[in-house]
Amino acid sequence: MNLRAVVAEDLYLLREGLVHLLQAHGFEVVAAVESGPELLRALTGERPDVAVVDVRLPPTFTDEGLQAALAARRAVPGLPVLVLSQHVEQLYARELLADGSGGIGYLLKDRVFNADQFVDAVRRVAAGGTAMDPEVIAKLLASTARHEPLAALTPREREVLELMAEGRSNAAISQRLFLSESAVGKHTAGIFIKLGLAPSDDDNRRVLAVLTYLNAARS
């Protein structure tokens, strides 16, 4: 069964481009809208598998997209949302992460370099995971540097956690940091212990670990 998606973007060419890109990769786009009120109606009415949302939408071009996504997640808890923005908006990321649910992404438009990268991020978010741009993560990490229990993490564990937030597997992290996969596994195990995450499905613990440090940014 195809994943059902809602797209919210005020620029016509970009909106249509997103629709065609998602359709070409097997998604069913159930709504493509250009304003905050339309987005909220589409999300609560269609209850899609994932929403791709621009932050700034009509009528005021401030934060209508984000506010509609937040309102929809209150009505449909855990609704997967991938935000597209021109800038790193820490407040937006904090608000979106505040309920502690998975299925969250935040990408910068000018740092999405190919279709596979974008589609992979959309699929990860739809599956309940995270897809955070490294620049967004760096800003949030800077604001959480002294937050407990994150302060207990070693610099290497923080690097691993940052890459986990990007949605990278242990194999991908090992290649990025020039470590063995077993070493990465030991670091992730240490992260889980220090964040107080009880043994459970590893995928669930990865999402919870990411949300723990991202949520700390709102403190």
Side-chain angles (χ1 to χ4, degrees):
M1 182 180 295
N2 293 343
L3 291 173
R4 301 170 68 253
V6 165
V7 173
E9 167 60 54
D10 64 293
L11 297 177
Y12 172 78
L13 289 179
L14 182 53
R15 184 172 66 251
E16 288 301 299
L18 288 170
V19 168
H20 287 297
L21 175 61
L22 290 171
Q23 289 176 334
H25 285 80
F27 288 81
E28 178 187 357
V29 178
V30 295
V33 302
E34 60 180 329
S35 71
E38 289 176 310
L39 173 59
L40 180 56
R41 287 194 295 271
L43 293 179
T44 55
E46 296 289 348
R47 301 199 172 205
D49 297 305
V50 64
V52 179
V53 177
D54 186 12
V55 169
R56 300 179 180 182
L57 296 174
T60 66
F61 294 96
T62 54
D63 61 357
E64 284 85 355
L66 176 76
Q67 294 303 328
L70 290 171
R73 280 172 67 88
R74 287 191 290 270
V76 186
L79 177 71
V81 174
L82 174 61
V83 173
L84 288 175
S85 178
Q86 295 280 23
H87 310 285
V88 179
E89 303 283 2
Q90 291 188 52
L91 177 61
Y92 296 160
R94 292 171 189 167
E95 286 191 75
L96 195 57
L97 290 159
D99 63 7
S101 299
I104 293 294
Y106 195 122
L107 300 181
L108 299 179
K109 291 179 179 178
D110 61 356
R111 287 167 56 85
V112 176
F113 301 118
N114 59 66
D116 289 340
Q117 174 196 5
F118 176 72
V119 172
D120 179 64
V122 177
R123 292 191 185 279
R124 283 206 309 273
V125 171
T130 57
M132 307 293 291
D133 185 278
E135 188 171 333
V136 177
I137 295 170
K139 289 291 183 73
L140 292 175
L141 276 173
S143 68
T144 64
R146 293 184 292 178
H147 189 278
E148 295 289 351
L150 299 180
L153 300 183
T154 67
R156 179 64 83 186
E157 287 169 344
R158 291 175 70 86
E159 286 182 309
V160 171
L161 186 52
E162 178 179 344
L163 293 171
M164 285 168 59
E166 294 178 29
R168 297 178 186 270
S169 65
N170 281 5
I173 293 173
S174 69
Q175 292 177 358
R176 180 70 174 269
L177 298 180
F178 302 103
L179 298 171
S180 68
E181 197 166 339
S182 63
V184 173
K186 290 178 181 178
H187 285 307
T188 58
I191 291 168
F192 296 153
I193 291 170
K194 291 178 181 179
L195 296 184
L197 299 176
S200 66
D201 180 85
D202 270 355
D203 286 342
N204 291 336
R205 288 204 291 175
R206 290 176 81 87
V207 171
L208 290 172
V210 169
L211 291 173
T212 295
Y213 94 83
L214 291 178
N215 274 318
R218 61 192 174 108
S219 300

